[in-house]
Amino acid sequence: MTTYFITGISTDVGKTVASAIITEALEADYWKPVQAGDLDNCDTKKVERLVSNSKSKFHPNTYALNTPMSPHGAADIDGIKIDVKTIKPPKTKNHLVIEGAGGLLVPLSSKDTILDLISPNYKIIVVSRHYLGSINHTLLTINALKEKGFDVSILFSGDEHKSTEDIIIKMTQVSVIGRINEEPYFDKNVVKEYADKFRNKL
């Protein structure tokens, strides 16, 4: 069974929808180790609402923090320290989709970042969305992962921007899973359509 780690080039680039699609495509389990803010409508609940298969299990966060900000800061407000040694993947005999928080170098503490949660055997999916500066953010993210020897692929999110995507693909040489378009809405049916489209690329 394979573990997929979903990271983004920044915040709000579409990681949660991407996680739902990959979870549905593989009928995988889902886990978000660190949730910061929006606890009543957290990413785990969002993914659970978008997944229609009955096989997926949704595992609780190791840290559920109250403030929507960088986890190290949110933990500080809650009066706790995030210890990465306590963040252990749930035991499962299924594929596992892990969703990170923000980008790769988002701090969890003064020593550790999201990157420290990624094990060498994980497959990494980088979600990239076009905005001014996104090429730089995408190349930095992918190059940091490739330097550490990770298996990296990319998933584009939002409206197509051909020149941006072409240069990213050319400069990184990573495999492209596809694109999640700017849909009017995402529900179980839309997620299932994308899951069917991407399944063979995973």
Side-chain angles (χ1 to χ4, degrees), residues 56-126:
S56 294
K57 290 189 173 64
F58 303 88
H59 299 276
N61 314 119
T62 304
Y63 289 93
L65 310 166
N66 289 294
T67 310
M69 63 186 292
S70 175
H72 81 287
D76 201 38
I77 290 169
D78 285 357
I80 60 171
K81 289 267 187 283
I82 294 175
D83 180 357
V84 293
K85 293 193 191 96
T86 67
I87 303 177
K88 293 187 164 56
K91 288 186 168 59
T92 178
K93 293 181 177 171
N94 195 5
H95 296 298
L96 179 64
V97 171
I98 304 174
E99 182 181 352
L104 204 57
L105 294 183
V106 164
L108 298 169
S109 67
S110 58
K111 295 183 305 193
D112 302 303
T113 67
I114 292 294
L115 183 56
D116 294 297
L117 301 181
I118 304 177
S119 292
N121 61 319
Y122 292 177
K123 288 192 169 188
I124 319 300
I125 297 173
V126 174

Side-chain angles (χ1 to χ4, degrees), residues 94-164:
N94 195 5
H95 296 298
L96 179 64
V97 171
I98 304 174
E99 182 181 352
L104 204 57
L105 294 183
V106 164
L108 298 169
S109 67
S110 58
K111 295 183 305 193
D112 302 303
T113 67
I114 292 294
L115 183 56
D116 294 297
L117 301 181
I118 304 177
S119 292
N121 61 319
Y122 292 177
K123 288 192 169 188
I124 319 300
I125 297 173
V126 174
V127 181
S128 177
R129 186 181 187 88
H130 173 74
Y131 54 81
L132 191 61
S134 66
I135 295 172
N136 181 48
H137 292 164
T138 305
L139 296 181
L140 283 168
T141 299
I142 291 174
N143 287 343
L145 290 162
K146 284 173 75 176
E147 278 169 18
K148 291 186 176 294
F150 289 113
D151 178 335
V152 187
S153 53
I154 192 165
L155 183 53
F156 290 108
S157 166
D159 293 331
E160 181 179 21
H161 198 280
K162 193 168 183 330
S163 68
T164 294

Side-chain angles (χ1 to χ4, degrees), residues 2 11 13 62 71 76 107-108 132-133 135 168 178-179 198:
T2 306
T11 193
V13 294
T62 304
D76 201 38
L108 298 169
L132 191 61
I135 295 172
I168 288 167
R179 159 193 320 292
F198 294 161

